[in-house]
Amino acid sequence: MNSSFLLSIITFIYGASSFLYITTWIFKKPIIGKLATIVTYLGFLGHTVGIILRWVESYQMGAGHAPLSNMYESLVFFSWSIILLYLLIEYKYKNKSIGGFAAPLAFFALAYASLSPHIEDRIAPLIPALKSNWLIAHVVTCFIGYAAFAVSFGVAIMYIMKAGDAQGKSRLLSQFPSVKILDRLIYQTITLGFLFLTMGIITGAVWANSAWGSYWSWDPKETWSLITWFVYAILIHSRMVRGWRGKRIAFLSIIGFIAVMFTYFGVNYILSGLHSYAQ
Amino acid sequence: MKKEKEGSFTERIWSFFASVKLSVVLLIVLAATSIIGTVIPQNADPAGYFQSYGEVFCKIFKFLGLFDMYHSWWFLFILMMLTINLLVCSFKRLPTVWKIVSVKNPKFNKKRFNNIKRKDSFIIPSSPEKLKSVYESYIIKKLRYCHSEETDAGFVLYAERGRWTRMGVYIVHLSIIILFIGAIVGSLFGYNGWVNIPEGVTVDHIRLRGNSTLRQLDFALRCNDFQATFYDSGMPKEYKSSLTIIENGQEVLTRSVIVNDPLRYKGVSFYQSNYGILPPHRVTLKLMDYKTGKSESIEAPFHKKVNLPDNQGYFKVVRFVSDFMNAGPSFQIQLLDNGKSPVLLRLFKNYPSLDRMRKGRYLFSVESYPEVYYTGLQVTCDPGVWVVYSGCILLIIGITITFFMSHNRLFMEVVRDEEGSRVTIAGTANKNRLAFEEKVKKITEGLQLLS
């Protein structure tokens, strides 16, 4: 079994866990919730094996590099980070309704990687510009950051749904954590994402300086990552100093995630620049 | 009166720059305007701009500096405003925070203790005198700082950890100022250029980017060898130049440079950037005589008349193109066959029989020509880069402190009771309060087991 095949199976497992999380949320069946968690843990285990297997395969082929070098591999790692972060949150907060909003994001990322005909899932050797020890540091920090923002986005949507039902009439929304906890979760995941995005931008800058002799060249990818950083910086200042809470923060989190998505996909597909090997 | 007005004016400016609202507005403006430069290609060919945007928009965009917007006066102005904003905000708030941070031996504060709503309390069958040292040594392990005082009824204890973390946000802001300083140092005292060095050639100057002026180096640089290797798929694998630094006529250093591994010498860095093949000065052509069927190799220098084998005319190599219409290297040759009008031939290295179509007396083809590679190096000197890197490290440290560390305080009051002692505990934190409350709960449980 090769890694691409294993990872496409994981796609279906995440599809199943998304379905189970949503089912347990809607039908309030704790047994389904337990099943959802077990399936997700199994999926995550398989996903981890898939990434390691791909790494091993690349060495067997003689290409020899960490599986973090193109769009396919980054999507696989992005999806993995989302699930990791979600499982930590589920463990800490003991609430499975969040799974209905986090697991689908990981599922979409992996489904796009595995099923899209535009995305090459073959292992390719590295071109000279990518042969650097900064590759792992840069990609890992960026995508952990992106994953934290993705989870924050999911929770922000939950917040907006829950806040729309102030009287607490909805039976469905009573499954959600309280608005206070959701609000805190949005912010906590954003601060985590912000730290990792900062590290991602910095490792990218150091790498660019060792490859091209310039740590910042206002390339579209760099600029968009900075725009994303600005959006979250705005959110953090609004909250820390101006005391914004709740809906406003939730909306800003959604705007931030749109900026993340544009930095990730939009720049590659719409704009051109130095970062084009990520296609 | 006049003086007062001036005072209020500077005060107004001060409070304008001291507002976080301004920071948020500036960040929004920076985020929004930065998009422009990702849509309009920066520093591109003027003819291309004219083609894409037309004359009128070209003029407008040029006036607004949109073709190099990140260095335009207005963008730099916004960055400067943000810097001032950052400094003023920090100066305004720092004294208050410093007052809190610089407290040397903080003690139990009854008022603060009373203000905390959530308190845990329990009764333990032991006297306060006995508990004091036991509790102190337990709590100091958990919170690093501990101070206790005896009271009439028992004792009070104050413990804390991470008072200094209140400085985190100032570390973040300071690091951003350091980043800007590093960038300014780089742009004032550094330079950025490129140089192409053919194999075996030594150079002592480079060409600067932007205005293409020459810049003398303090030493000379020789390219010994250049090699490009490829994977079986045709994808590039490695570009490697062997370079030697020559100073005062002596070879000081010889090293290989590949992408991601530049050569640094005396503050100047050389990066493997591109490569190419030098246009040859001579070429060996093969001439096949259709009549006799015999072939002859002729070495022909550029721009010189070379006689045809039968001396019935001559030809001249006039031009070399490294890749003509994606068909590979080609040579242009002027042919003057006696009695015929002159013709211009284009010979392709990769298609030796193409000249057959001409139906001339000879079939011309390219046999060989000397291929001399040159290496293309990016050359930079940026004395500000270490300042920028220090700023980066400080930024990461600062963000970690700001968001993931907090100032935790624990208050304890122990009062003599009929059955022993009544212990009341309360905790606060400036950030992530719930996490600390949980910790206090655990400490409380731990204390109950001690006696």
Side-chain angles (χ1 to χ4, degrees):
Chain A
M1 179 148 71
N2 77 4
S3 61
S4 309
F5 182 66
L6 176 59
L7 289 167
S8 49
I9 293 173
I10 303 301
T11 308
F12 290 102
I13 295 180
Y14 285 163
S17 63
S18 303
F19 176 75
L20 290 168
Y21 275 120
I22 293 170
T23 314
T24 185
W25 161 47
I26 292 175
F27 296 105
K28 288 194 181 176
K29 290 266 187 290
I31 185 83
I32 299 176
K34 275 196 186 117
L35 190 63
T37 304
I38 291 166
V39 169
T40 312
Y41 269 103
L42 286 176
F44 183 70
L45 193 73
H47 198 159
T48 312
V49 170
I51 291 173
I52 295 168
L53 188 61
R54 192 174 171 88
W55 205 331
V56 172
E57 279 168 11
S58 96
Y59 273 93
Q60 283 166 350
M61 281 175 53
H65 60 80
L68 300 163
S69 71
N70 58 17
M71 186 54 116
Y72 175 82
E73 290 170 343
S74 74
L75 280 163
V76 168
F77 185 73
F78 179 45
S79 169
W80 184 85
S81 310
I82 293 174
I83 291 292
L84 172 66
L85 201 58
Y86 167 69
L87 288 174
L88 289 172
I89 290 169
E90 188 191 293
Y91 178 74
K92 202 178 158 193
Y93 287 85
K94 317 276 181 228
N95 187 306
K96 294 182 198 276
S97 62
I98 302 165
F101 292 80
L105 294 172
F107 166 65
F108 289 141
L110 205 53
Y112 182 51
S114 299
L115 308 175
S116 167
H118 304 294
I119 290 176
E120 180 58 66
D121 65 356
R122 259 180 301 177
I123 297 172
L126 293 180
I127 57 165
L130 290 179
K131 280 187 187 160
S132 167
N133 292 330
W134 291 103
L135 174 74
I136 296 178
H138 175 60
V139 178
V140 166
T141 49
C142 280
F143 283 97
I144 290 177
Y146 287 5
F149 292 139
V151 173
S152 176
F153 164 78
V155 179
I157 288 177
M158 291 173 78
Y159 183 94
I160 289 166
M161 287 168 72
K162 180 111 179 170
D165 176 49
Q167 281 92 35
K169 277 181 190 158
S170 164
R171 214 178 57 87
L172 278 181
L173 299 176
S174 66
Q175 297 269 319
F176 285 8
S178 69
V179 277
K180 209 175 146 193
I181 288 178
L182 289 174
D183 177 66
R184 198 171 72 228
L185 206 48
I186 294 173
Y187 186 65
Q188 277 181 342
T189 43
I190 281 173
T191 51
L192 183 73
F194 194 70
L195 172 65
F196 276 93
L197 176 64
T198 307
M199 292 200 283
I201 293 174
I202 288 171
T203 49
V206 175
W207 185 6
N209 193 41
S210 75
W212 301 313
S214 159
Y215 54 83
W216 197 262
S217 26
W218 294 103
D219 161 78
K221 196 82 168 183
E222 286 171 352
T223 309
W224 268 97
S225 69
L226 188 65
I227 291 168
T228 308
W229 195 84
F230 284 150
V231 173
Y232 287 110
I234 291 164
L235 185 154
I236 288 165
H237 283 87
S238 306
R239 188 180 173 103
M240 270 189 142
V241 192
R242 301 198 58 80
W244 282 22
R245 291 285 184 284
K247 249 187 183 169
R248 288 172 169 185
I249 294 296
F251 277 118
L252 279 177
S253 164
I254 291 169
I255 293 172
F257 189 61
I258 292 169
V260 168
M261 287 293 99
F262 195 83
T263 309
Y264 190 3
F265 302 109
V267 173
N268 289 16
Y269 295 144
I270 300 168
L271 308 170
S272 62
L274 296 168
H275 216 271
S276 50
Y277 34 72
Q279 275 178 22
Chain B
M1 276 303 278
K2 209 182 168 193
K3 225 181 175 179
E4 226 179 83
K5 243 187 179 172
E6 270 177 12
S8 69
F9 178 68
T10 47
E11 262 170 34
R12 249 160 46 206
I13 290 195
W14 179 263
S15 62
F16 170 75
F17 277 112
S19 95
V20 181
K21 215 183 231 174
L22 178 70
S23 333
V24 171
V25 169
L26 289 173
L27 286 171
I28 292 171
V29 172
L30 277 176
T33 53
S34 294
I35 298 173
I36 302 169
T38 67
V39 179
I40 299 175
Q42 299 290 292
N43 298 308
D45 178 31
Y49 284 136
F50 192 81
Q51 218 170 18
S52 315
Y53 305 113
E55 196 186 342
V56 181
F57 279 107
C58 243
K59 271 187 183 156
I60 296 171
F61 287 180
K62 203 173 170 144
F63 176 74
L64 294 172
L66 297 186
F67 296 141
D68 188 18
M69 67 153 277
Y70 303 111
H71 303 99
S72 67
W73 65 269
W74 57 267
F75 195 78
L76 295 176
F77 177 74
I78 303 169
L79 285 177
M80 199 186 73
M81 292 275 280
L82 187 70
T83 313
I84 297 171
N85 180 226
L86 218 62
L87 283 171
V88 173
C89 274
S90 303
F91 275 125
K92 193 186 155 195
R93 280 151 235 254
L94 201 55
T96 329
V97 175
W98 186 246
K99 229 175 172 177
I100 301 173
V101 171
S102 59
V103 171
K104 276 278 139 40
N105 299 304
K107 291 176 184 165
F108 185 86
N109 185 327
K110 183 84 183 166
K111 223 181 185 178
R112 204 164 260 149
F113 175 64
N114 289 338
N115 279 343
I116 301 169
K117 281 183 196 132
R118 201 199 139 129
K119 295 192 181 82
D120 291 321
S121 113
F122 59 88
I123 291 167
I124 193 161
S126 195
S127 72
E129 289 76 29
K130 267 191 194 164
L131 287 177
K132 193 166 176 261
S133 61
V134 180
Y135 277 15
E136 242 176 78
S137 60
Y138 180 80
I139 282 177
I140 203 147
K141 268 187 239 154
K142 306 273 169 185
L143 285 143
R144 295 291 154 81
Y145 173 85
C146 184
H147 181 270
S148 62
E149 270 170 83
E150 280 177 34
T151 59
D152 300 340
F155 70 94
V156 287
L157 182 147
Y158 172 79
E160 69 165 21
R161 189 176 189 179
R163 182 170 280 264
W164 61 276
T165 62
R166 288 176 180 270
M167 296 298 289
V169 66
Y170 300 99
I171 296 175
V172 173
H173 289 169
L174 175 73
S175 70
I176 289 166
I177 304 278
I178 292 173
L179 282 177
F180 284 156
I181 292 171
I184 291 167
V185 168
S187 67
L188 288 181
F189 305 111
Y191 56 83
N192 184 355
W194 48 275
V195 63
N196 290 342
I197 318 175
E199 288 172 315
V201 174
T202 306
V203 295
D204 61 355
H205 58 266
I206 60 152
R207 221 166 256 289
L208 292 183
R209 253 177 232 291
N211 51 11
S212 287
T213 50
L214 289 179
R215 190 189 162 103
Q216 192 72 32
L217 294 172
D218 296 336
F219 48 86
L221 185 67
R222 186 179 68 217
C223 171
N224 307 312
D225 180 43
F226 175 84
Q227 272 172 359
T229 45
F230 297 87
Y231 295 110
D232 295 338
S233 64
M235 261 169 57
K237 186 176 183 185
E238 189 178 71
Y239 303 133
K240 187 157 135 194
S241 308
S242 162
L243 302 176
T244 298
I245 302 265
I246 299 158
E247 210 169 6
N248 304 321
Q250 289 204 312
E251 294 187 6
V252 224
L253 176 71
T254 297
R255 235 200 77 179
S256 287
V257 170
I258 58 172
V259 182
N260 275 312
D261 186 19
L263 164 68
R264 298 183 206 276
Y265 189 72
K266 291 202 163 164
V268 188
S269 305
F270 299 90
Y271 300 83
Q272 183 66 57
S273 169
N274 59 329
Y275 73 98
I277 296 167
L278 281 190
H281 298 290
R282 60 197 154 77
V283 53
T284 307
L285 298 177
K286 198 164 98 178
L287 272 67
M288 206 267 285
D289 193 333
Y290 277 114
K291 273 186 192 157
T292 62
K294 274 190 202 157
S295 291
E296 194 175 337
S297 293
I298 300 178
E299 194 181 290
F302 269 55
H303 307 296
K304 285 219 173 88
K305 284 182 186 173
V306 179
N307 285 329
L308 289 171
D310 57 1
N311 283 321
Q312 296 290 308
Y314 64 89
F315 68 91
K316 207 156 94 178
V317 185
V318 289
R319 213 172 143 221
F320 170 76
V321 180
S322 60
D323 188 15
F324 186 81
M325 313 268 294
N326 283 327
S330 87
F331 291 85
Q332 215 170 26
I333 283 154
Q334 227 172 36
L335 175 66
L336 208 88
D337 214 341
N338 271 1
K340 285 184 187 160
S341 52
V343 269
L344 215 49
L345 304 183
R346 190 174 288 283
L347 304 179
F348 289 89
K349 169 98 202 296
N350 302 340
Y351 304 98
S353 55
L354 206 69
D355 189 41
R356 197 163 290 172
M357 296 193 302
R358 185 172 54 89
K359 297 196 169 70
R361 174 147 155 58
Y362 294 99
L363 170 71
F364 279 75
S365 60
V366 179
E367 191 173 278
S368 67
Y369 61 92
E371 278 191 335
V372 177
Y373 281 90
Y374 67 84
T375 180
L377 303 173
Q378 160 100 357
V379 187
T380 64
C381 166
D382 187 349
V385 78
W386 293 106
V387 181
V388 172
Y389 283 3
S390 328
C392 288
I393 292 167
L394 211 56
L395 179 61
I396 294 172
I397 294 171
I399 290 179
T400 311
I401 296 168
T402 307
F403 296 122
F404 303 99
M405 294 168 106
S406 53
H407 180 196
N408 300 335
R409 313 187 212 209
L410 183 130
F411 300 83
M412 190 200 298
E413 193 178 46
V414 180
V415 182
R416 198 165 292 118
D417 196 86
E418 287 157 22
E419 295 155 63
S421 306
R422 167 176 287 278
V423 182
T424 312
I425 299 171
T428 66
N430 67 331
K431 273 170 282 173
N432 208 358
R433 194 166 297 147
L434 288 157
F436 186 58
E437 276 175 6
E438 241 153 69
K439 191 175 175 181
V440 171
K441 216 167 144 191
K442 271 193 191 142
I443 291 175
T444 311
E445 283 164 14
L447 290 172
Q448 287 182 57
L449 299 174
L450 298 171
S451 58

